[in-house]
Amino acid sequence: MRNEEVLNQSPPISGTNAWRTDPLLMQLCEGYSEPVRKDLEQLGRFVRTQEAQELARLANTETPVFKPYDRYGYRVDLVEYHPAYHALMRRSVGAGLHSSIWEDGESEKGQRHQSRAARFYLTAQLECGHLCPLTMTNAALAALMSNPALFRAWAPRVITRKYDSSSKPAAQKQGVTLGMGMTEKQGGTDVRANTTRAEPAGEGLYRLNGHKWFMSAPMSDGFLVLAQAAEGLSCFLLPRLTDDGATNGLRFQRLKDKLGNRSNASAEVEFDGALGYLVGEPGAGVRTIMDMVTLTRLDCALASAGLMRAALAEAVHHARHRRVFGKVLVEQPLMNRVLADLALDVAAATALAFRLARSFDGAANDRSEAAYARVMTPVTKYWVCKIAPAVIYEAMECLGGNGYVEEAPLARYYREAPVNAIWEGSGNVMALDVLRVLSRNAGLFDDVLKGMAEDLGAAGRGTVDVLMAAMRVCESDEGAGRILTEQLALAAAAAELKRLGAGQVADAFIETRLAGQWRGTYGMLDARHDAAAILDMLYPEVS
């Protein structure tokens, strides 16, 4: 007997609008110009279309393929991507995700980081792998500013907003992207242990020999790499191809078989006399890449916040259309509280990531914003990225078996979630960065804590006292660095929710995260907090 009648399955979420159904995002973007908000409206609609969802699926199931040789046996070192990947890249490059903070348009003046953050956050809800080369391209220009001649040569090719996937010398392309290769087998995060050597080759060029253990987006047109020069660890720009179209001594060994981020290729590479340009001062490689790293860390937080939003939106959508034990699932008390509890962390993570973007826009003209950007970049990256796997897993559990299968996007989100906590500095590296600021320029914390106290209101004084006590502990106990980092993140997120006037959302977050008991899982809201109201506020039902 065949049974083809389908009952009690939730409809697809496609056809809705990720911008219109996100009141918190719309509030965060209230001060944006009309052209930017119009772009966000269109992008929010696009990421929820069936066509876009299918591009995301295909880009991750039809993964990149390494082609070391052509049909005649010549070494070509090419990586082939599925057309779906190129379609996503073309759309996001056209939206300026790789370059808009470097452009001169009036519509985003004073809000370039925040406007880009909103586009990045929405796009992350669709597909994150293709965002990796766009993040690196955007951030690499910050490092190139330390070599004005290189910046003048490469920046105009980046900001064309034209995606050109052809394998040609950079000067012959309509648009270019930039990648990076920092870590090696023996050192990982400890880049000072790098063994790749750079020797002067005349005319301002260096010849590099060595390897990199991870080089993401290997079809980028140029790569920022660290290598040991006579003066010490230095930063170099290596074009992938020479001016005559030959490979520039980059020998890709294989592509990494990664847990997630599958649409984006990551390669192991050996340098065999690769020619590169010095970026920054000789021996100042780490200092040269720090502005770049700061930008990539913001993107890690934005992408993780977007992933969590997408995962929880799927869970809420499912719960509103599924009936269990005689009730709509979202009306079951336990499920309602799980979803609301998750929504608090997703809202807090989103608010915190956008607060960091705002500090980037204000840092040049406001000392307190500059202090916030320096202190809170590692803090935000640490907490937002670290909670993503747990949030996305719990959202998956809300769908049960329907969430665990590959046809649903939850599996892809879950595989994607760990990478942002690992890339550009793992949790311990972020905590060490916070401790570095504490030891070298503790005064920066004064402005940050003052702002938090003002935004938190009545809860501010006690929170600041706890943070200052944690700072004192860290002065003599490096192992307490994660405690301080997490407490800073929770306090800053709570402060931003209060500043935004988030009402019940802010109050529930403060009581359960800053003043609550130790929590190991989600669903720990008690009856004092209106779980249904919190959920409806952050995830309004689509009529």
Side-chain angles (χ1 to χ4, degrees):
M1 177 179 177
R2 297 174 63 188
N3 182 7
E4 296 185 355
E5 184 180 13
V6 178
L7 301 173
N8 201 28
Q9 287 281 9
S10 57
I13 199 172
S14 57
T16 57
N17 188 315
W19 160 257
R20 284 287 172 190
T21 56
D22 192 340
L24 178 61
L25 177 62
M26 295 181 71
Q27 181 182 358
L28 287 165
C29 300
E30 276 181 351
Y32 294 12
S33 69
E34 186 58 32
V36 171
R37 289 173 62 84
K38 184 177 179 181
D39 285 346
L40 295 174
E41 165 84 32
Q42 294 173 346
L43 181 56
R45 185 183 306 115
F46 170 74
V47 301
R48 290 274 181 88
T49 63
Q50 187 58 47
E51 173 195 9
Q53 295 290 325
E54 182 65 4
L55 290 175
R57 185 190 69 82
L58 285 170
N60 284 272
T61 55
E62 305 298 324
T63 53
V65 177
F66 177 38
K67 300 286 187 179
Y69 300 97
D70 69 8
R71 59 181 291 194
Y72 302 105
Y74 293 106
R75 184 95 194 200
V76 291
D77 288 281
L78 293 175
V79 178
E80 294 182 349
Y81 296 85
H82 189 271
Y85 173 87
H86 292 303
L88 292 169
M89 285 288 288
R90 191 173 300 109
R91 175 90 187 201
S92 293
V93 167
L97 294 188
H98 69 307
S99 67
S100 61
I101 67 170
W102 304 101
E103 298 170 7
D104 296 326
E106 288 295 316
S107 66
E108 298 180 19
K109 190 173 182 180
Q111 297 175 328
R112 300 196 195 286
H113 287 282
Q114 295 168 82
S115 299
R116 177 182 175 275
R119 292 193 294 269
F120 198 91
Y121 169 81
L122 284 171
T123 306
Q125 296 180 41
L126 173 63
E127 205 284 319
C128 281
H130 83 287
L131 292 178
C132 181
L134 304 181
T135 284
M136 292 190 294
T137 301
N138 176 68
L141 289 181
L144 290 187
M145 287 187 73
S146 60
N147 186 322
L150 283 177
F151 186 85
R152 287 194 298 270
W154 284 80
R157 302 171 189 169
V158 169
I159 64 175
T160 61
R161 292 202 181 193
K162 293 180 179 178
Y163 177 60
D164 186 345
S165 61
S166 63
S167 186
K168 295 188 293 191
Q172 299 177 22
K173 298 184 66 169
Q174 293 183 314
V176 300
T177 58
L178 297 168
M180 60 184 71
M182 303 296 167
T183 61
E184 298 181 3
K185 297 173 186 173
Q186 74 286 346
T189 300
D190 184 9
V191 294
R192 296 186 188 279
N194 284 6
T195 59
T196 298
R197 304 296 306 178
E199 304 291 341
E203 300 182 355
L205 290 168
Y206 286 73
R207 198 170 291 280
L208 276 67
N209 290 280
H211 82 282
K212 295 298 169 185
W213 192 227
F214 270 90
M215 180 175 276
S216 284
M219 289 297 97
S220 299
D221 300 289
F223 302 93
L224 288 175
V225 303
L226 293 175
Q228 301 286 356
E231 298 85 354
L233 192 67
S234 306
C235 183
F236 299 89
L237 173 65
L238 274 61
R240 186 170 62 83
L241 301 177
T242 59
D243 291 341
D244 62 0
T247 56
N248 181 27
L250 278 70
R251 303 287 185 260
F252 299 121
Q253 303 301 297
R254 61 174 176 171
L255 300 185
K256 296 290 192 180
D257 186 7
K258 298 178 294 185
L259 168 67
N261 202 246
R262 292 179 176 177
S263 66
N264 170 50
S266 298
E268 297 169 19
V269 63
E270 292 186 358
F271 302 139
D272 183 10
L275 288 171
Y277 300 90
L278 180 67
V279 181
E281 296 295 323
V286 172
R287 186 169 72 244
T288 300
I289 67 170
M290 283 315 298
D291 285 342
M292 176 184 73
V293 168
T294 297
L295 291 174
T296 59
R297 289 174 178 174
L298 170 61
D299 279 7
C300 286
L302 290 167
S304 290
L307 272 173
M308 288 188 282
R309 174 76 195 187
L312 187 51
E314 288 276 352
V316 173
H317 179 79
H318 172 80
R320 283 181 172 147
H321 292 86
R322 183 86 159 182
R323 294 190 66 84
V324 177
F325 305 134
K327 285 185 179 180
V328 178
L329 182 56
V330 75
E331 296 174 358
Q332 295 285 2
L334 280 169
M335 179 59 73
N336 194 247
R337 292 191 191 181
V338 167
L339 292 170
D341 206 10
L342 287 165
L344 293 179
D345 270 0
V346 177
T350 303
L352 185 59
F354 275 79
R355 174 65 183 93
L356 184 61
R358 180 158 60 90
S359 75
F360 282 24
D361 279 325
N365 302 309
D366 188 323
R367 188 192 71 178
S368 63
E369 292 299 312
Y372 193 98
R374 179 63 190 97
V375 172
M376 294 304 298
T377 296
V379 169
T380 302
K381 199 264 191 189
Y382 173 94
W383 184 70
V384 175
C385 298
K386 194 163 284 297
I387 67 170
V391 167
I392 294 171
Y393 160 71
E394 194 74 54
M396 182 188 296
E397 186 176 307
C398 293
L399 276 76
N402 285 347
Y404 192 67
V405 296
E406 289 290 345
E407 288 92 338
L410 276 297
R412 186 175 79 247
Y413 298 159
Y414 189 59
R415 288 195 305 271
E416 191 75 31
V419 69
N420 289 321
I422 297 170
W423 191 53
E424 293 303 328
S426 60
N428 284 346
V429 174
M430 294 302 95
L432 287 171
D433 197 19
V434 173
L435 297 183
R436 187 177 299 111
V437 180
L438 183 62
S439 64
R440 295 180 181 179
N441 202 344
L444 294 178
F445 284 83
D446 295 339
D447 285 333
V448 174
L449 297 184
K450 179 182 177 183
M452 285 185 195
E454 292 173 353
D455 290 334
L456 283 169
R461 183 66 262 166
T463 299
V464 169
D465 288 344
V466 170
L467 292 173
M468 292 183 69
M471 289 164 59
R472 288 192 294 271
V473 171
C474 287
E475 289 173 358
S476 59
D477 180 10
E478 181 181 287
R482 282 191 175 217
I483 297 174
L484 172 62
T485 303
E486 182 160 318
Q487 288 178 334
L488 281 166
L490 294 172
E496 184 61 6
L497 288 173
K498 286 289 284 187
R499 189 192 71 82
L500 290 167
Q504 294 181 75
V505 173
D507 292 342
F509 185 84
I510 289 170
E511 186 165 334
T512 56
R513 272 64 170 176
L514 295 186
Q517 296 178 339
W518 183 262
R519 311 163 68 251
T521 57
Y522 287 97
M524 302 298 168
L525 293 179
D526 60 40
R528 288 173 299 150
H529 304 292
D530 190 337
I534 289 170
L535 206 57
D536 289 340
M537 191 181 307
L538 294 171
Y539 295 80
E541 191 163 4
V542 180
S543 58

